[in-house]
Amino acid sequence: MSTLLQSPIEFLKGVGPLRGEILRKELHVQTFGDLLAHYPFRYIDRSVIHKIKDLTPLTQYIQLKGRISGFRQLGNDKQKRLIASFRDDTGTVELIWFKGVDFILKTLKPNTELLVFGKPTVFNGEYNIAHPEVEIFTEEIKTSGKGLQPVYSSTEKMKKKNLDSRGLTRLMHTLVGQTKEKDIPDFLPKEILHRFKLLSRHEAILNIHFPKNESLLHEATRRLKFEELFLIQLQMLKVKSNRCEISKGFIFEKIDNQFDKFYHHQLKFELTGAQKRVLKEIRKDALTGRQMNRLLQGDVGSGKTVVALLTMLMGIDNGFQACLMAPTEILANQHYESIVDALRGMKIEVALLTGNIKGKARKFILENLVEGKIDILIGTHALIEDSVLFKNIGMVVIDEQHRFGVAQRAALWTKNEKPPHILVMTATPIPRTLAMTIYGDLDVSVIDELPPGRKPIRTVHRTDADRLRVFGFMKEEILKGRQIYIVYPLIEESETLDLKHLMDGYESISRAFPKPEYQISIVHGRMRSADKDYEMQRFVRGETQIMIATTVIEVGVNVPNASVMIIENAERFGLSQLHQLRGRVGRGAEQSFCILITGKKLSNESKQRVSVMCKTNDGFVIAEEDLKLRGPGDLEGTQQSGVVNMRIADLVNDVKILEAARTTAQNLIESDPTLSRPEHQQLLNYMKEISKEKIWAKIS
Ligand code: ADP
Ligand code: MG
């Protein structure tokens, strides 16, 4: 980077120490270069002048030309308000100022021809524009037109120091004026620029801030999106290729003992084609001599647990220990029980370690573990504590991996001299574009097939008014011997109120479903862990027919006899969460149902979520819809990945560019893995520079 772009931001004309501090704090802008990378988030076409009669309640921003016919002042000294009647030859609107009244009165004289720009709102059937941008309409404006103008995001604190979009535009103008071509050298290899017909970096930066015309704006955007996605991909692929080089892995040659025994004699069902395929992929990894780092995606109920178990048995057959880490106590318990059950009669030691296991019991487990007497350790994040030492861990499985932070997962790497093989599993399907980006350095396997005999869950939407009908339906299902979940939202910010709803719900259900005919369990996050477990266990054993809960049951719980999932206030859940919750039913052979209960009035987005849920059971379709509705920043698992910090590219609309960028990055890394060829020198340098700032997840 040139020295100009490295200059501290306060040295830019118009910034100084005070605003410099604000830019640092609010936008993380430290240098001239950082400011240049603060791209506009949209543009206003100032060349178009509208007529007042064209205003509609939907008009966002509009530019008008006309004259002020008079001013009115309202309010007292403390709260002054200035209103101007502004008219063109088609009508009148009001311009309103709450601040800077004296200044406006001094500078804007009635009957001068003005250009007014702003966001109209309707009040009492009249249009008004608060704090419009106003300019005297001069000959110069008339001839130059004003073209596309940038709009920059800014914050309240910035606005107070005149760093609103206009203030930023002014700074940007100064900066762009000072920036020469040599200050923004291109790091993309010529061949790539050529092949994709990309603008040079310098031209792209100029035009992203002050586009000469629509088409240059488009080209500038395309170039900068490509660059951003390409760099992410390249970094991911480099991490991956480094890892493959450095991290020698254990070789699991044998599967002739426990694995075979389990597979041929113990397993109660035939594996699906997808499960078999994934196991082959894992087995292949474990034979390469490199450390496996594989992500297993499989929709809820697709049977990931048995794949995890067979994978751990591969390790055991080769003299290693294995562990399985789950994000909650409930889930760890459930894995423990189902795995102990599945392995019954075999000579394999399985132990459970969670935060609740303390004192002597814990000491006993830790001793046995380090002596190698435990083959499989199952637990929560208690597994990663320093005191947990294995004799020889060779295989690590992490369930619902998006619940863990990168650091937590990384901690398991160091539990042996060579890192163990790692299989991370997730039931939150990730759209392909996102997977390419966040998990670009992992190998990905997908279970895209459900075990046979599952009937698709029927999902319906009901409102509060249908509650009696829903109760009736519940009774029918209970009569058939089925069990039912009722889930309430519980969000930290509104925890007290949410708990009240949950308790109210519990009471009304208890009235409609009285003892002793009906038994009800209740589980929420405020309960003691032992009580939660007790209630959960009653439901698992079939002693209660209804389980009232918050989302604590969202992850992984498996009660095949439960066939109805009722979600209260369904509009408050995100799509992937709804899908996870629904995945708690449909696990047995019976027809299962999901009932989404909402209020009568719904926002458009909520309506759409509900309708997607009623239409499809396919987790991948839902994930794509979720991405479209919310953008990647809010999707689970993206927070720590840096994807949310993308400046210009977006994973919903830029799929084509992403694919091109990924293929290009792949080819480049294959042909020149260390980027040591002269034509890649600039690129290598640039990557070194940015990797100082952004630490991409080394381990996903
Ligand atoms: P998830 O992928 O959501 O973790 P689980 O591993 O809990 O799913 O499996 C869901 C249920 O399906 C379990 O009861 C499991 O025993 C059963 N299952 C898994 N694989 C098969 C199969 N190939 N055939 C029949 N049932 C299966
Ligand atoms: Mg599971």
Side-chain angles (χ1 to χ4, degrees):
M1 211 182 273
S2 76
T3 40
L4 177 80
L5 296 196
Q6 282 168 338
S7 318
I9 192 64
E10 58 267 30
F11 297 139
L12 184 68
K13 192 167 161 272
V15 179
L18 205 75
R19 287 169 153 195
E21 194 52 33
I22 287 182
L23 286 169
R24 268 177 229 279
K25 281 220 179 97
E26 299 289 296
L27 295 184
H28 303 290
V29 165
Q30 313 268 356
T31 62
F32 287 19
D34 293 341
L35 186 63
L36 270 190
H38 186 61
Y39 303 142
F41 70 96
R42 62 186 182 84
Y43 301 83
I44 309 165
D45 188 351
R46 299 293 297 265
S47 60
V48 182
I49 295 173
H50 286 275
K51 294 287 183 197
I52 290 177
K53 72 166 167 36
D54 299 335
L55 283 172
T56 73
L58 294 177
T59 307
Q60 281 290 320
Y61 283 86
I62 194 163
Q63 178 161 258
L64 302 165
K65 191 175 77 173
R67 294 163 202 273
I68 288 174
S69 55
F71 287 105
R72 274 182 294 148
Q73 281 199 62
L74 295 178
N76 50 26
D77 258 5
K78 258 194 186 161
Q79 266 203 321
K80 262 198 249 178
R81 188 154 36 122
L82 180 66
I83 301 175
S85 298
F86 178 83
R87 59 204 296 187
D88 65 8
D89 46 14
T90 68
T92 309
V93 292
E94 291 191 329
L95 310 180
I96 303 180
W97 291 269
F98 302 94
K99 281 182 296 196
V101 169
D102 298 336
F103 180 76
I104 298 292
L105 282 172
K106 225 188 290 169
T107 48
L108 296 183
K109 296 291 172 224
N111 289 321
T112 325
E113 190 158 54
L114 300 173
L115 265 187
V116 163
F117 179 84
K119 190 178 163 59
T121 47
V122 195
F123 184 71
N124 283 342
E126 304 282 335
Y127 287 100
N128 66 62
I129 303 178
H131 288 267
E133 290 176 29
V134 184
E135 261 176 296
I136 297 172
F137 188 74
T138 58
E139 272 309 303
E140 191 193 326
I141 293 180
K142 209 192 252 167
T143 47
S144 72
K146 302 207 72 187
L148 292 166
Q149 291 198 349
V151 182
Y152 296 98
S153 58
S154 88
T155 63
E156 277 315 306
K157 282 194 186 131
M158 290 169 62
K159 283 177 187 153
K160 278 196 190 128
K161 291 282 174 275
N162 268 336
L163 290 173
D164 55 358
S165 175
R166 262 163 118 202
L168 284 169
T169 306
R170 244 175 269 134
L171 293 183
M172 213 61 92
H173 216 272
T174 311
L175 179 55
V176 165
Q178 277 176 281
T179 310
K180 308 256 163 19
E181 191 165 352
K182 69 165 173 37
D183 296 316
I184 312 183
D186 215 319
F187 51 78
L188 287 182
K190 290 227 164 44
E191 189 272 321
I192 293 177
L193 288 178
H194 209 76
R195 180 146 41 104
F196 294 100
K197 298 196 174 60
L198 300 173
L199 287 188
S200 75
R201 188 146 208 272
H202 177 245
E203 244 180 306
I205 298 270
L206 293 192
N207 276 287
I208 204 73
H209 291 293
F210 301 105
K212 294 211 184 76
N213 53 47
E214 285 276 354
S215 123
L216 274 170
L217 172 60
H218 179 78
E219 287 307 314
T221 310
R222 189 169 69 91
R223 145 81 210 213
L224 293 172
K225 284 180 171 180
F226 183 92
E227 159 187 321
E228 180 164 51
L229 294 167
F230 176 75
L231 288 173
I232 295 175
Q233 292 301 329
L234 204 57
Q235 251 159 332
M236 288 282 178
L237 294 168
K238 259 190 83 71
V239 169
K240 184 171 167 181
S241 84
N242 286 351
R243 191 192 67 223
C244 290
E245 234 161 72
I246 304 162
S247 307
K248 298 275 175 285
F250 299 120
I251 297 180
F252 294 173
E253 268 174 352
K254 293 185 268 204
I255 51 165
D256 53 354
N257 189 11
Q258 307 290 21
F259 183 99
D260 273 356
K261 254 186 225 155
F262 180 80
Y263 191 89
H264 293 295
H265 306 296
Q266 201 90 3
L267 195 55
K268 297 194 184 80
F269 42 75
E270 169 88 17
L271 292 186
T272 61
Q275 286 170 321
K276 285 182 192 166
R277 188 187 65 233
V278 169
L279 276 166
K280 273 194 199 132
E281 288 166 352
I282 293 170
R283 174 141 169 74
K284 219 167 123 194
D285 282 355
L287 287 170
T288 57
R290 290 193 302 261
Q291 182 211 15
M292 172 173 80
N293 245 294
R294 189 167 278 281
L295 168 71
L296 172 55
Q297 286 197 60
D299 212 339
V300 276
S302 61
K304 292 184 292 297
T305 317
V306 67
V307 172
L309 177 54
L310 279 158
T311 302
M312 292 194 287
L313 293 180
M314 285 182 205
I316 291 169
D317 273 352
N318 290 275
F320 291 92
Q321 293 166 295
C323 74
L324 170 59
M325 182 162 81
T328 64
E329 292 265 343
I330 293 179
L331 200 52
N333 269 310
Q334 188 153 17
H335 278 321
Y336 175 72
E337 274 162 27
S338 75
I339 284 175
V340 165
D341 189 51
L343 295 176
R344 202 167 298 278
M346 294 178 70
K347 276 218 193 84
I348 296 177
E349 261 332 296
V350 186
L352 176 71
L353 184 67
T354 68
N356 273 347
I357 295 168
K358 296 190 185 110
K360 269 197 191 140
R362 184 181 149 90
K363 199 160 160 251
F364 181 76
I365 290 174
L366 293 183
E367 279 170 10
N368 280 299
L369 191 66
V370 79
E371 283 167 23
K373 288 182 190 152
I374 292 170
D375 300 303
I376 297 180
L377 182 64
I378 296 173
T380 54
H381 46 265
L383 297 193
I384 60 183
E385 282 166 27
D386 288 341
S387 55
V388 179
L389 296 172
F390 293 84
K391 178 159 186 247
N392 194 11
I393 178 90
M395 178 61 80
V396 168
V397 182
I398 301 173
D399 198 13
E400 309 294 345
Q401 65 80 33
H402 58 278
R403 297 272 166 141
F404 293 99
V406 173
Q408 286 176 310
R409 279 178 265 145
L412 286 168
W413 281 46
T414 55
K415 295 268 178 193
N416 205 343
E417 274 161 38
K418 277 192 214 172
H421 293 301
I422 312 257
L423 179 70
V424 298
M425 309 199 293
T426 176
T428 309
I430 302 158
R432 209 166 44 95
T433 52
L434 203 54
M436 265 191 226
T437 312
I438 329 180
Y439 300 119
D441 67 325
L442 295 186
D443 296 303
V444 179
S445 292
V446 179
I447 304 187
D448 50 7
E449 183 185 352
L450 292 181
R454 299 267 174 85
K455 295 195 181 78
I457 302 162
R458 266 190 234 153
T459 303
V460 293
H461 176 205
R462 297 281 179 263
T463 64
D464 294 326
D466 303 318
R467 206 168 295 270
L468 280 182
R469 245 171 84 201
V470 173
F471 284 175
F473 175 74
M474 288 167 64
K475 286 190 175 154
E476 283 169 29
E477 286 299 299
I478 292 174
L479 209 60
K480 290 188 208 152
R482 304 287 113 73
Q483 288 165 283
I484 297 173
Y485 294 102
I486 307 180
V487 176
Y488 285 81
L490 199 159
I491 296 164
E492 255 171 64
E493 294 94 73
S494 53
E495 191 172 337
T496 319
L497 194 64
D498 280 345
L499 272 176
K500 183 174 177 309
H501 287 155
L502 175 85
M503 295 321 287
D504 289 351
Y506 177 65
E507 263 173 38
S508 91
I509 299 285
S510 304
R511 253 178 279 128
F513 296 82
K515 284 181 189 171
E517 197 181 350
Y518 300 100
Q519 297 290 332
I520 304 174
S521 291
I522 178 163
V523 169
H524 57 79
R526 279 280 185 86
M527 289 164 65
R528 289 191 323 161
S529 183
D531 296 340
K532 259 193 276 189
D533 279 353
Y534 173 77
E535 288 286 305
M536 200 62 224
Q537 286 313 325
R538 290 207 307 150
F539 189 70
V540 172
R541 286 194 298 263
E543 293 163 19
T544 60
Q545 298 98 344
I546 300 175
M547 157 65 77
I548 296 182
T550 56
T551 42
V552 288
I553 61 137
E554 175 190 342
V555 172
V557 178
N558 189 24
V559 183
N561 190 48
S563 67
V564 182
M565 166 62 67
I566 298 174
I567 304 176
E568 290 280 351
N569 285 118
E571 68 271 27
R572 289 180 52 197
F573 293 94
L575 263 180
S576 76
Q577 224 179 356
L578 288 172
H579 182 62
Q580 283 290 313
L581 287 169
R582 177 167 63 182
R584 298 306 111 219
V585 298
R587 301 188 150 238
E590 311 304 331
Q591 175 63 56
S592 290
F593 301 88
C594 174
I595 303 177
L596 305 174
I597 300 187
T598 70
K600 254 213 147 65
K601 278 203 173 155
L602 288 182
S603 72
N604 277 341
E605 201 190 306
S606 310
K607 256 187 224 154
Q608 204 155 345
R609 280 202 298 265
V610 170
S611 113
V612 169
M613 287 297 292
C614 293
K615 255 194 320 238
T616 183
N617 275 303
D618 185 329
F620 282 90
V621 174
I622 289 173
E624 297 282 350
E625 290 292 332
D626 204 17
L627 181 63
K628 278 185 211 150
L629 283 172
R630 294 200 293 169
D634 287 329
L635 296 193
E636 268 184 287
T638 60
Q639 277 77 3
Q640 323 113 343
S641 73
V643 175
V644 282
N645 299 328
M646 285 205 285
R647 288 185 188 280
I648 187 162
D650 114 45
L651 294 175
V652 181
N653 298 308
D654 300 329
V655 180
K656 284 233 171 75
I657 303 180
L658 173 61
E659 277 166 359
R662 178 158 175 93
T663 320
T664 312
Q666 264 164 345
N667 293 340
L668 187 77
I669 284 281
E670 260 165 44
S671 72
D672 184 12
T674 49
L675 301 183
S676 50
R677 286 198 207 141
E679 67 266 33
H680 299 149
Q681 211 49 51
Q682 296 256 44
L683 181 60
L684 183 67
N685 290 343
Y686 190 80
M687 288 195 43
K688 277 188 190 152
E689 216 167 280
I690 54 175
S691 64
K692 273 186 247 151
E693 306 159 17
K694 276 188 223 151
I695 301 168
W696 291 91
K698 290 243 170 350
I699 303 139
S700 287

PDB file of all heavy atoms in Angstrom, residues 298-305 331 335 399-400 425-427 555-558 580 584 587, ligand 2:
ATOM      1  N   GLY A 298     -26.337 -32.568   7.515  1.00  0.00           N
ATOM      2  CA  GLY A 298     -27.453 -33.473   7.301  1.00  0.00           C
ATOM      3  C   GLY A 298     -28.651 -32.906   8.014  1.00  0.00           C
ATOM      4  O   GLY A 298     -28.566 -32.479   9.166  1.00  0.00           O
ATOM      5  N   ASP A 299     -29.755 -32.897   7.329  1.00  0.00           N
ATOM      6  CA  ASP A 299     -30.962 -32.316   7.885  1.00  0.00           C
ATOM      7  C   ASP A 299     -31.314 -33.023   9.196  1.00  0.00           C
ATOM      8  O   ASP A 299     -30.838 -34.125   9.458  1.00  0.00           O
ATOM      9  CB  ASP A 299     -32.099 -32.500   6.871  1.00  0.00           C
ATOM     10  CG  ASP A 299     -33.077 -31.347   6.947  1.00  0.00           C
ATOM     11  OD1 ASP A 299     -33.105 -30.659   7.986  1.00  0.00           O
ATOM     12  OD2 ASP A 299     -33.818 -31.146   5.971  1.00  0.00           O
ATOM     13  N   VAL A 300     -32.148 -32.382   9.987  1.00  0.00           N
ATOM     14  CA  VAL A 300     -32.591 -33.009  11.227  1.00  0.00           C
ATOM     15  C   VAL A 300     -33.183 -34.381  10.921  1.00  0.00           C
ATOM     16  O   VAL A 300     -33.948 -34.527   9.974  1.00  0.00           O
ATOM     17  CB  VAL A 300     -33.646 -32.163  11.959  1.00  0.00           C
ATOM     18  CG1 VAL A 300     -32.972 -31.117  12.788  1.00  0.00           C
ATOM     19  CG2 VAL A 300     -34.613 -31.512  10.983  1.00  0.00           C
ATOM     20  N   GLY A 301     -32.805 -35.361  11.718  1.00  0.00           N
ATOM     21  CA  GLY A 301     -33.375 -36.689  11.558  1.00  0.00           C
ATOM     22  C   GLY A 301     -32.757 -37.522  10.447  1.00  0.00           C
ATOM     23  O   GLY A 301     -33.207 -38.622  10.161  1.00  0.00           O
ATOM     24  N   SER A 302     -31.693 -37.002   9.828  1.00  0.00           N
ATOM     25  CA  SER A 302     -31.112 -37.741   8.706  1.00  0.00           C
ATOM     26  C   SER A 302     -30.184 -38.858   9.174  1.00  0.00           C
ATOM     27  O   SER A 302     -29.708 -39.645   8.361  1.00  0.00           O
ATOM     28  CB  SER A 302     -30.370 -36.790   7.776  1.00  0.00           C
ATOM     29  OG  SER A 302     -29.320 -36.155   8.463  1.00  0.00           O
ATOM     30  N   GLY A 303     -29.937 -38.935  10.472  1.00  0.00           N
ATOM     31  CA  GLY A 303     -29.140 -40.048  10.998  1.00  0.00           C
ATOM     32  C   GLY A 303     -27.653 -39.766  11.047  1.00  0.00           C
ATOM     33  O   GLY A 303     -26.833 -40.573  10.623  1.00  0.00           O
ATOM     34  N   LYS A 304     -27.303 -38.642  11.635  1.00  0.00           N
ATOM     35  CA  LYS A 304     -25.885 -38.309  11.735  1.00  0.00           C
ATOM     36  C   LYS A 304     -25.210 -39.061  12.874  1.00  0.00           C
ATOM     37  O   LYS A 304     -24.034 -39.372  12.815  1.00  0.00           O
ATOM     38  CB  LYS A 304     -25.709 -36.795  11.943  1.00  0.00           C
ATOM     39  CG  LYS A 304     -26.116 -35.972  10.742  1.00  0.00           C
ATOM     40  CD  LYS A 304     -25.841 -34.495  10.925  1.00  0.00           C
ATOM     41  CE  LYS A 304     -26.719 -33.851  11.980  1.00  0.00           C
ATOM     42  NZ  LYS A 304     -28.158 -33.870  11.655  1.00  0.00           N
ATOM     43  N   THR A 305     -26.006 -39.372  13.925  1.00  0.00           N
ATOM     44  CA  THR A 305     -25.394 -39.958  15.117  1.00  0.00           C
ATOM     45  C   THR A 305     -24.731 -41.300  14.820  1.00  0.00           C
ATOM     46  O   THR A 305     -23.629 -41.572  15.290  1.00  0.00           O
ATOM     47  CB  THR A 305     -26.450 -40.143  16.223  1.00  0.00           C
ATOM     48  OG1 THR A 305     -27.252 -38.975  16.271  1.00  0.00           O
ATOM     49  CG2 THR A 305     -25.801 -40.357  17.556  1.00  0.00           C
ATOM     50  N   LEU A 331     -28.410 -32.906  25.341  1.00  0.00           N
ATOM     51  CA  LEU A 331     -27.976 -33.595  24.136  1.00  0.00           C
ATOM     52  C   LEU A 331     -26.836 -34.570  24.420  1.00  0.00           C
ATOM     53  O   LEU A 331     -26.824 -35.701  23.910  1.00  0.00           O
ATOM     54  CB  LEU A 331     -27.541 -32.554  23.110  1.00  0.00           C
ATOM     55  CG  LEU A 331     -27.518 -33.033  21.683  1.00  0.00           C
ATOM     56  CD1 LEU A 331     -28.830 -33.674  21.297  1.00  0.00           C
ATOM     57  CD2 LEU A 331     -27.211 -31.871  20.765  1.00  0.00           C
ATOM     58  N   HIS A 335     -26.991 -38.526  23.700  1.00  0.00           N
ATOM     59  CA  HIS A 335     -25.983 -39.242  22.914  1.00  0.00           C
ATOM     60  C   HIS A 335     -25.403 -40.382  23.732  1.00  0.00           C
ATOM     61  O   HIS A 335     -25.226 -41.490  23.246  1.00  0.00           O
ATOM     62  CB  HIS A 335     -24.854 -38.298  22.503  1.00  0.00           C
ATOM     63  CG  HIS A 335     -25.161 -37.482  21.282  1.00  0.00           C
ATOM     64  ND1 HIS A 335     -25.841 -37.987  20.207  1.00  0.00           N
ATOM     65  CD2 HIS A 335     -24.859 -36.202  20.971  1.00  0.00           C
ATOM     66  CE1 HIS A 335     -25.950 -37.040  19.285  1.00  0.00           C
ATOM     67  NE2 HIS A 335     -25.372 -35.943  19.740  1.00  0.00           N
ATOM     68  N   ASP A 399     -20.835 -32.281  17.534  1.00  0.00           N
ATOM     69  CA  ASP A 399     -22.212 -32.229  17.060  1.00  0.00           C
ATOM     70  C   ASP A 399     -22.721 -30.797  17.129  1.00  0.00           C
ATOM     71  O   ASP A 399     -22.359 -30.049  18.028  1.00  0.00           O
ATOM     72  CB  ASP A 399     -23.085 -33.138  17.938  1.00  0.00           C
ATOM     73  CG  ASP A 399     -24.410 -33.471  17.256  1.00  0.00           C
ATOM     74  OD1 ASP A 399     -24.538 -33.212  16.043  1.00  0.00           O
ATOM     75  OD2 ASP A 399     -25.310 -33.990  17.932  1.00  0.00           O
ATOM     76  N   GLU A 400     -23.581 -30.444  16.206  1.00  0.00           N
ATOM     77  CA  GLU A 400     -24.152 -29.093  16.163  1.00  0.00           C
ATOM     78  C   GLU A 400     -23.036 -28.067  16.293  1.00  0.00           C
ATOM     79  O   GLU A 400     -23.067 -27.189  17.145  1.00  0.00           O
ATOM     80  CB  GLU A 400     -25.174 -28.900  17.285  1.00  0.00           C
ATOM     81  CG  GLU A 400     -26.231 -29.966  17.382  1.00  0.00           C
ATOM     82  CD  GLU A 400     -27.163 -30.003  16.174  1.00  0.00           C
ATOM     83  OE1 GLU A 400     -27.167 -29.043  15.397  1.00  0.00           O
ATOM     84  OE2 GLU A 400     -27.864 -31.002  16.009  1.00  0.00           O
ATOM     85  N   MET A 425     -20.404 -31.800  12.788  1.00  0.00           N
ATOM     86  CA  MET A 425     -21.715 -32.110  12.207  1.00  0.00           C
ATOM     87  C   MET A 425     -22.658 -30.940  12.425  1.00  0.00           C
ATOM     88  O   MET A 425     -22.614 -30.271  13.446  1.00  0.00           O
ATOM     89  CB  MET A 425     -22.303 -33.345  12.889  1.00  0.00           C
ATOM     90  CG  MET A 425     -21.348 -34.529  12.929  1.00  0.00           C
ATOM     91  SD  MET A 425     -22.179 -36.095  13.222  1.00  0.00           S
ATOM     92  CE  MET A 425     -22.774 -35.888  14.888  1.00  0.00           C
ATOM     93  N   THR A 426     -23.509 -30.714  11.468  1.00  0.00           N
ATOM     94  CA  THR A 426     -24.506 -29.677  11.674  1.00  0.00           C
ATOM     95  C   THR A 426     -25.822 -30.062  11.037  1.00  0.00           C
ATOM     96  O   THR A 426     -25.858 -30.662   9.973  1.00  0.00           O
ATOM     97  CB  THR A 426     -24.051 -28.312  11.125  1.00  0.00           C
ATOM     98  OG1 THR A 426     -25.112 -27.388  11.290  1.00  0.00           O
ATOM     99  CG2 THR A 426     -23.699 -28.381   9.663  1.00  0.00           C
ATOM    100  N   ALA A 427     -26.890 -29.723  11.734  1.00  0.00           N
ATOM    101  CA  ALA A 427     -28.227 -29.984  11.206  1.00  0.00           C
ATOM    102  C   ALA A 427     -28.828 -28.696  10.688  1.00  0.00           C
ATOM    103  O   ALA A 427     -29.972 -28.661  10.299  1.00  0.00           O
ATOM    104  CB  ALA A 427     -29.111 -30.569  12.287  1.00  0.00           C
ATOM    105  N   VAL A 555     -32.264 -28.355  20.060  1.00  0.00           N
ATOM    106  CA  VAL A 555     -31.137 -29.067  19.491  1.00  0.00           C
ATOM    107  C   VAL A 555     -31.180 -30.563  19.752  1.00  0.00           C
ATOM    108  O   VAL A 555     -31.183 -30.995  20.885  1.00  0.00           O
ATOM    109  CB  VAL A 555     -29.833 -28.482  20.064  1.00  0.00           C
ATOM    110  CG1 VAL A 555     -28.652 -29.323  19.656  1.00  0.00           C
ATOM    111  CG2 VAL A 555     -29.660 -27.069  19.586  1.00  0.00           C
ATOM    112  N   GLY A 556     -31.281 -31.320  18.702  1.00  0.00           N
ATOM    113  CA  GLY A 556     -30.961 -32.737  18.762  1.00  0.00           C
ATOM    114  C   GLY A 556     -31.820 -33.732  19.531  1.00  0.00           C
ATOM    115  O   GLY A 556     -31.632 -34.923  19.373  1.00  0.00           O
ATOM    116  N   VAL A 557     -32.749 -33.278  20.357  1.00  0.00           N
ATOM    117  CA  VAL A 557     -33.486 -34.231  21.179  1.00  0.00           C
ATOM    118  C   VAL A 557     -34.261 -35.231  20.305  1.00  0.00           C
ATOM    119  O   VAL A 557     -34.861 -34.867  19.316  1.00  0.00           O
ATOM    120  CB  VAL A 557     -34.478 -33.495  22.103  1.00  0.00           C
ATOM    121  CG1 VAL A 557     -35.286 -34.480  22.922  1.00  0.00           C
ATOM    122  CG2 VAL A 557     -33.728 -32.547  22.992  1.00  0.00           C
ATOM    123  N   ASN A 558     -34.235 -36.491  20.714  1.00  0.00           N
ATOM    124  CA  ASN A 558     -34.823 -37.530  19.878  1.00  0.00           C
ATOM    125  C   ASN A 558     -35.859 -38.346  20.655  1.00  0.00           C
ATOM    126  O   ASN A 558     -35.512 -39.179  21.478  1.00  0.00           O
ATOM    127  CB  ASN A 558     -33.696 -38.438  19.371  1.00  0.00           C
ATOM    128  CG  ASN A 558     -34.199 -39.405  18.314  1.00  0.00           C
ATOM    129  OD1 ASN A 558     -35.204 -39.153  17.641  1.00  0.00           O
ATOM    130  ND2 ASN A 558     -33.506 -40.522  18.175  1.00  0.00           N
ATOM    131  N   GLN A 580     -35.516 -26.411  12.857  1.00  0.00           N
ATOM    132  CA  GLN A 580     -34.907 -27.243  13.905  1.00  0.00           C
ATOM    133  C   GLN A 580     -35.971 -27.782  14.844  1.00  0.00           C
ATOM    134  O   GLN A 580     -35.974 -28.952  15.209  1.00  0.00           O
ATOM    135  CB  GLN A 580     -33.930 -26.409  14.734  1.00  0.00           C
ATOM    136  CG  GLN A 580     -32.615 -26.147  14.062  1.00  0.00           C
ATOM    137  CD  GLN A 580     -31.796 -27.404  13.966  1.00  0.00           C
ATOM    138  OE1 GLN A 580     -31.655 -28.135  14.934  1.00  0.00           O
ATOM    139  NE2 GLN A 580     -31.298 -27.679  12.787  1.00  0.00           N
ATOM    140  N   ARG A 584     -37.894 -32.034  15.586  1.00  0.00           N
ATOM    141  CA  ARG A 584     -38.056 -32.896  16.780  1.00  0.00           C
ATOM    142  C   ARG A 584     -39.147 -33.941  16.551  1.00  0.00           C
ATOM    143  O   ARG A 584     -39.210 -34.929  17.266  1.00  0.00           O
ATOM    144  CB  ARG A 584     -38.413 -32.083  18.040  1.00  0.00           C
ATOM    145  CG  ARG A 584     -37.416 -31.072  18.507  1.00  0.00           C
ATOM    146  CD  ARG A 584     -36.054 -31.659  18.711  1.00  0.00           C
ATOM    147  NE  ARG A 584     -35.157 -31.154  17.702  1.00  0.00           N
ATOM    148  CZ  ARG A 584     -34.217 -31.860  17.101  1.00  0.00           C
ATOM    149  NH1 ARG A 584     -34.027 -33.110  17.406  1.00  0.00           N
ATOM    150  NH2 ARG A 584     -33.445 -31.315  16.192  1.00  0.00           N
ATOM    151  N   ARG A 587     -39.918 -38.418  13.592  1.00  0.00           N
ATOM    152  CA  ARG A 587     -38.776 -39.313  13.788  1.00  0.00           C
ATOM    153  C   ARG A 587     -39.202 -40.770  13.885  1.00  0.00           C
ATOM    154  O   ARG A 587     -38.374 -41.665  13.893  1.00  0.00           O
ATOM    155  CB  ARG A 587     -38.021 -38.921  15.048  1.00  0.00           C
ATOM    156  CG  ARG A 587     -37.547 -37.511  14.926  1.00  0.00           C
ATOM    157  CD  ARG A 587     -36.639 -37.093  16.037  1.00  0.00           C
ATOM    158  NE  ARG A 587     -35.745 -36.105  15.495  1.00  0.00           N
ATOM    159  CZ  ARG A 587     -34.428 -36.192  15.489  1.00  0.00           C
ATOM    160  NH1 ARG A 587     -33.838 -37.203  16.076  1.00  0.00           N
ATOM    161  NH2 ARG A 587     -33.706 -35.269  14.932  1.00  0.00           N
TER     162      ARG A 587
HETATM  163 MG    MG B   2     -28.338 -35.118  16.069  1.00  0.00          MG
END
